[in-house]
Amino acid sequence: MSTQPATGESSAEHETADQKSGLPMSRVALDSELKSIIADVLGVDADEADALNADSGLFGHMPELDSMAVAGLLTEMEDRLDIVIEDDDVDGEMLETYGGLLAFAEGKLSEA
Amino acid sequence: MIASWQAPLSSGKSSEELLVSYDEGRERRVLILPALFDEANKLRRLTVQVMRQLDLSGVDSFLPDMPGVNESLAPLSSQTLMGWRSQVNAAAKNVSATHFLSIRAGALMAPSDLPGWHYAPQTGAKVLRAMIRARTIAAREDGREESSEQLLETGRRDGLTLAGWTIGGEMFRELETAEPIAAGAAATIAQKELGGAGLWLRAEPDEDDAQAAALANIVAGQGTET
């Protein structure tokens, strides 16, 4: 993970988010970590995972992502992002698209 | 080579179980403790790849089935972690192991008196958590609600079937608190030392020559005193 707080990205939104919570992880760093976790679960290389966008379908769209693989994905997210994911957090919206999962992770990190 | 070994049961009888081995009577003899449950399937090929690589490096290795898993005819639901631990110790004596290599939750049953390595060790609580989560997600897909808390309660009381594995109540309770056994000179091998991602994360079982070679290199190396 880069220790540089996304200097190349100067959108006001990133700065406020980082300043407000003092998060160690910018949206850009989170995006790349999450893609790297998905690449590990799917067994694809980084380039392929990099092609994921907010509308890319996950659970229910990719045959590789069965319930066991999704459970592994969430457990790996807990370990690598240092968050705790409760039963109630897991819903269709969060798992259906890459954008949903990213928004969820962002929300969890800002709670911390 | 495919052979069998006699796993002692608490009843005083024994259970004949599969033993996969590369045995040429060499100096270093490594007992392999495989990953458990869902991860056992995903890591079986890597595990045997590591054994092949060890053989090429002049190291003997032995992979015994524990009662209740893989080819075993014994019911999994009546096995306990305590039972597996004592069977691992029996297997170690049986094959005159000089070292052990545990894989993931295999670390929960490592022998107490041998030096060895824990590859990416996993606690029992995490093993349960991942499988319980898979079950709640699958239930939701089916339009049913199951909560982790309820499943934990049921598991502690009556045991629980998770990812197709029928885990008995006693085993379930033992797993909730089981930690990798830090016996003797056990060294931990982190996933990043092998390069690439852990194969247990994959949806389908896979193999990886480079990872197997890296793991075997460490085990065939200068011993556990690092």
Side-chain angles (χ1 to χ4, degrees):
Chain A
M1 192 190 316
S2 166
T3 50
Q4 291 291 322
T7 43
E9 300 280 324
S10 56
S11 111
E13 203 182 343
H14 294 169
E15 282 166 14
T16 41
D18 282 351
Q19 280 161 7
K20 195 170 61 189
S21 54
L23 283 179
M25 192 180 276
S26 70
R27 173 178 285 184
V28 173
L30 173 61
D31 178 57
S32 104
E33 184 69 14
L34 197 53
K35 281 177 175 162
S36 139
I37 296 172
I38 291 173
D40 290 353
V41 170
L42 296 179
V44 298
D45 51 33
D47 291 350
E48 253 176 279
D50 217 34
L52 289 169
N53 61 45
D55 297 327
S56 302
L58 298 178
F59 192 45
H61 299 268
M62 293 184 173
E64 301 94 326
L65 281 183
D66 58 11
S67 58
M68 198 67 226
V70 167
L73 172 74
L74 297 179
T75 308
E76 190 71 3
M77 281 172 66
E78 287 184 321
D79 287 350
R80 276 158 67 173
L81 304 176
D82 197 21
I83 56 177
V84 176
I85 302 173
E86 310 288 348
D87 277 6
D88 292 345
D89 294 334
V90 183
D91 60 28
E93 204 182 323
M94 161 215 185
L95 290 172
E96 202 190 340
T97 61
Y98 178 70
L101 194 63
L102 182 62
F104 164 78
E106 230 173 355
K108 269 284 159 187
L109 281 167
S110 67
E111 274 172 27
Chain B
M1 180 188 138
I2 308 283
S4 66
W5 73 290
Q6 297 292 329
L9 300 175
S10 56
S11 61
K13 294 184 185 149
S14 66
S15 172
E16 184 175 7
E17 303 295 349
L18 181 77
L19 176 70
V20 177
S21 59
Y22 285 89
D23 184 2
E24 308 242 344
R26 291 168 288 196
E27 198 178 319
R28 183 165 289 194
R29 299 167 68 80
V30 180
L31 181 70
I32 311 279
L33 307 171
L36 299 181
F37 311 122
D38 178 63
E39 292 190 350
N41 299 334
K42 293 182 175 165
L43 294 172
R44 183 80 184 176
R45 280 157 71 181
L46 180 79
T47 303
V48 176
Q49 270 186 310
V50 170
M51 294 177 72
R52 270 194 215 113
Q53 292 283 345
L54 284 172
D55 179 49
L56 295 174
S57 310
V59 172
D60 286 347
S61 63
F62 305 85
L63 173 60
D65 271 4
M66 290 299 121
V69 298
N70 201 39
E71 300 291 332
S72 177
L73 297 176
L76 174 61
S77 58
S78 57
Q79 306 307 318
T80 64
L81 199 54
M82 185 86 92
W84 280 353
R85 282 175 180 153
S86 73
Q87 283 146 2
V88 161
N89 281 313
K93 282 202 185 70
N94 196 303
V95 303
S96 307
T98 59
H99 295 78
F100 73 86
L101 168 64
S102 75
I103 295 173
R104 298 286 285 167
L108 306 177
M109 48 185 189
S112 44
D113 55 355
L114 281 183
W117 298 263
H118 292 312
Y119 163 49
Q122 174 84 318
T123 65
K126 282 203 171 173
V127 172
L128 287 178
R129 186 172 169 79
M131 290 196 295
I132 284 176
R133 177 170 276 154
R135 183 164 156 160
T136 60
I137 293 171
R140 200 164 292 191
E141 267 298 89
D142 274 358
R144 291 177 291 117
E145 281 292 326
E146 282 188 327
S147 82
S148 300
E149 229 160 273
Q150 278 169 350
L151 290 173
L152 279 169
E153 243 171 70
T154 309
R156 282 172 201 139
R157 199 181 51 235
D158 308 322
L160 199 61
T161 299
L162 293 171
W165 301 84
T166 309
I167 299 172
E170 190 173 343
M171 169 86 84
F172 193 97
R173 292 190 297 275
E174 289 174 302
L175 283 171
E176 280 199 281
T177 55
E179 296 279 337
I181 297 179
T188 296
I189 303 171
Q191 176 57 34
K192 61 176 187 292
E193 293 177 58
L194 306 194
L199 293 184
W200 61 86
L201 285 173
R202 299 281 177 80
E204 297 292 334
D206 205 351
E207 54 188 51
D208 189 320
D209 279 332
Q211 287 196 30
L215 187 48
N217 269 341
I218 296 171
V219 173
Q222 310 85 342
T224 57
E225 301 77 22
T226 46

